[in-house]
Amino acid sequence: MSGLKLIRYGAWAAVAALLVVVGYVTVGYYQQASEGGGLISPVASIGGPFTLTDAAREVEVTEADFKGKPSAFFFGFTYCPDVCPTTLAETQGWIEELGDDADKIDFAFISVDPERDTPEVMRDYVAAFDERIRPLTGTRAQTDAIIEAYRVYAKRVELDDGDYTMDHTASVFLMDADNRFVGTIAWGEAHENAMAKLRRLIDTAS
């Protein structure tokens, strides 16, 4: 085997090892975040720059608009039959239970289906829940960018009737005041766990 081939194989082995380590660490963080009411150490590798439209305020927003206080981001779509409306209803309940402390967190519902979730659709849909949940959408390119930055799973699935639905990550992403990932609230997680994580998010930002 030539020296060049050895170098090439060695490089590929190093890349493969790095991917395994990154995957292991990421899964570990998610598992730790979903257990109990605690948060994890800030993870800067999840999250990043984005540009979207806040449909309620009719303004363009970036990650800079969410710096300075913690955030709770949920990715979904308005045609979602169950997971999204359920999570938004739960978010409304969390906000009501937090009372005035809810203003210390930015809550946002981010569309993974911008083709149907125009700003008008998002504004009207989220208005059925708490007004403090910000409806965010964008172009396909803007949406793909934030999906990649937050490592969100989102896939269009064609239906037999010619319509389509979206498979997507169902967790709520918790970000600290510096826009760093600190955990999730999992789909179906116990209410008391979710509230403990939100209160911890507020406390760590104080």
Side-chain angles (χ1 to χ4, degrees):
M1 184 180 293
S2 69
L4 184 59
K5 283 187 176 180
L6 284 174
I7 293 173
R8 187 180 302 156
Y9 290 151
W12 279 113
V15 170
L18 177 62
L19 290 174
V20 169
V21 171
V22 170
Y24 175 79
V25 171
T26 301
V27 170
Y29 277 136
Y30 275 101
Q31 289 177 336
Q32 184 180 353
S34 63
E35 295 172 354
L39 301 174
I40 62 174
S41 298
V43 180
S45 59
I46 297 178
F50 65 82
T51 301
L52 292 170
T53 297
D54 183 328
R57 297 165 177 77
E58 299 182 346
V59 296
E60 188 175 86
V61 295
T62 71
E63 72 286 354
D65 294 285
F66 294 89
K67 192 167 185 178
K69 66 179 181 180
S71 304
F73 291 159
F74 177 64
F75 294 80
F77 65 117
T78 63
Y79 283 69
C80 182
D82 45 26
V83 171
C84 299
T86 299
T87 301
L88 288 171
E90 288 178 339
T91 303
Q92 181 176 5
W94 301 336
I95 291 172
E96 291 173 353
E97 188 165 330
L98 286 170
D100 292 340
D101 282 344
D103 294 332
K104 298 177 181 177
I105 300 177
D106 276 322
F107 295 89
F109 177 56
I110 302 170
S111 175
V112 298
D113 183 20
E115 286 78 12
R116 293 187 295 199
D117 290 343
T118 64
E120 293 76 19
V121 170
M122 284 289 285
R123 180 196 61 211
D124 294 345
Y125 184 80
V126 179
F129 303 92
D130 195 285
E131 64 179 8
R132 283 165 288 189
I133 304 172
R134 304 175 69 169
L136 305 185
T137 189
T139 65
R140 181 74 262 170
Q142 290 171 334
T143 301
D144 289 342
I146 192 169
I147 284 174
E148 181 177 359
Y150 281 76
R151 304 186 188 184
V152 170
Y153 170 75
K155 181 181 179 182
R156 173 171 168 151
V157 178
E158 304 298 330
L159 301 176
D160 292 339
D161 61 4
D163 202 353
Y164 71 91
T165 187
M166 298 293 295
D167 279 347
H168 62 91
T169 301
S171 298
V172 175
F173 284 63
L174 303 178
M175 312 298 290
D176 70 9
D178 292 320
N179 288 336
R180 296 175 301 183
F181 175 78
V182 291
T184 62
I185 297 175
W187 162 248
E189 186 162 340
H191 177 77
E192 57 269 25
N193 278 355
M195 291 303 301
K197 290 180 179 179
L198 293 171
R199 293 193 185 284
R200 178 67 174 161
L201 195 62
I202 292 170
D203 291 344
T204 55
S206 300

